[in-house]
Amino acid sequence: MNVRVLLFASYADALGTDSLQVDVPAPSRVRDLLAAIQERASHAVPPAPLVAVNSEYADLDQVLGADDEVAIIPPVAGG
Amino acid sequence: MNVRVLLFASYADALGTDSLQVDVPAPSRVRDLLAAIQERASHAVPPAPLVAVNSEYADLDQVLGADDEVAIIPPVAGG
Amino acid sequence: MRTALIHEPIDAAALLQEVSSHGSGATTLFLGTVREVNDGRDVSGIDYTSYEAMAVRELAKIATEAVEKFGTPHVVVEHRLGALGLGDVSVAIAISHARRGPALDASRYVIEQLKQRVPIWKREHYTDGTREWVDPTRHGVAAPSGGAA
Amino acid sequence: MRTALIHEPIDAAALLQEVSSHGSGATTLFLGTVREVNDGRDVSGIDYTSYEAMAVRELAKIATEAVEKFGTPHVVVEHRLGALGLGDVSVAIAISHARRGPALDASRYVIEQLKQRVPIWKREHYTDGTREWVDPTRHGVAAPSGGAA
């Protein structure tokens, strides 16, 4: 299945885009998606970044569906 | 010697005045002055209130001079 | 650093302006205001009185302590005296600092010390026409005390 | 309670007005501002960007937690996004409460949670023409982090 991945700030700069379509087997977990991204862009994104699925923080074991929007969250720096 | 005593808030109301002249022997300490005030107005002022001498908090053993201005400080309630 | 007892309304926006600095990353403002209920009684207003000569000195001492303890000169405190109505600001503490931790700590330090040390008294007026001097020492530690803040 | 991401300057006086209440004895305002030096480098400005759909939800969650934890509905938080200059306010947290303790605690709770959880990023511009994304996790706990607050 094709999962839409949002990138922000330093991660978007490093990958040169603010979104990716990543093909992963169904079902996949967040950690599987991160491994696929690491293959495509090693060193641009750390192995275990903060991740949100559909605008909520998610853990690495969360199972993904094809319609999920996954965001890779660089260290936040608001305020 | 004659010491000038300032009264505020509930203490001024209780004694019906915002200042007193109190005669105490020289030398006297703050506690002696308070005892003299207790004689004149028992129950209006507690036996060991906060006291300031010349606008600084003072303890009961501080020795008073004739020119000192002594303030009896009711429980403060600023803010 | 500046401290004052004033007899006019407090201008909180002016205090924020006064402590602003390009070296600051955090600004805190604390306002004490007259609230409508204290100890279950309906308050209509508060008269603030003071031993002004001493209160001026004690306020300045507290601000100086905050400047030294937290390492910022940007500390401004104003306390209002006189007859205040519901919602009126009785005290304002504006502080700015490079970092948020000390700015927040300094704000709390100043209001706690002010409430313990500065010779200011308040007489609450109640909607039933009575009035009474507020005595925070009559209450237990856990109970809310004082008509403002 | 109200939270917002905004792209215009923050009006701190309006936030104070918004949380004012005759039931409140204490009001706190926290402002984060862009400061001129961070980690020893001269800052000329900061661009704030965000994952807005998520940041809006996370900000609202934090404010709701503060409302429940500290027992006051008078919590208003605004975070600004876009290009900010020195001294500009990036975040404002206004809270009022019957008593000062919870008002002060709630203010600290909201800024600490915001800094940990809300997906907002800042790119600092330096006077030497370079610019860099701020990463608070690169620093030790004891070091000042972030260009604002």
Side-chain angles (χ1 to χ4, degrees), chain D residues 3-109:
Chain D
T3 56
L5 298 178
I6 66 174
H7 295 263
E8 308 298 321
I10 289 173
D11 181 347
L15 298 199
L16 286 174
Q17 189 57 41
E18 189 174 344
V19 298
S20 77
S21 155
H22 281 179
S24 296
T27 301
T28 58
L29 177 70
F30 177 89
L31 302 177
T33 52
V34 176
R35 73 168 191 260
E36 64 193 347
V37 177
N38 190 30
D39 280 338
R41 301 178 71 177
D42 291 332
V43 174
S44 57
I46 299 183
D47 293 332
Y48 282 85
T49 63
S50 174
Y51 177 17
E52 291 200 35
M54 181 177 174
V56 160
R57 293 174 64 157
E58 207 63 29
L59 256 192
K61 274 192 220 167
I62 291 168
T64 300
E65 289 163 15
V67 165
E68 289 169 359
K69 206 172 163 75
F70 300 101
T72 174
H74 305 295
V75 174
V76 175
V77 185
E78 287 187 349
H79 200 298
R80 187 175 169 191
L81 301 175
L84 275 68
L86 291 186
D88 283 351
V89 174
S90 53
V91 60
I93 300 163
I95 290 168
S96 81
H97 195 287
R99 293 178 296 123
R100 70 187 182 279
L104 290 161
D105 291 342
S107 186
R108 189 182 296 253
Y109 179 81

Side-chain angles (χ1 to χ4, degrees), chain A residues 7-78:
Chain A
L7 301 166
F8 299 95
S10 56
Y11 298 170
D13 282 2
L15 275 78
T17 179
D18 59 8
S19 71
L20 298 171
Q21 293 288 337
V22 182
D23 206 28
V24 288
S28 280
R29 294 175 191 274
V30 167
R31 65 172 76 251
D32 305 319
L33 177 69
L34 289 173
I37 293 170
Q38 283 282 311
E39 268 178 43
R40 280 171 67 158
S42 64
H43 303 306
V45 170
L50 284 177
V51 172
V53 176
N54 303 326
S55 302
E56 300 271 358
Y57 283 113
D59 67 33
L60 296 178
D61 290 325
Q62 184 163 327
V63 175
L64 296 170
D67 293 335
D68 285 344
E69 186 178 75
V70 178
I72 315 294
I73 311 283
V76 303

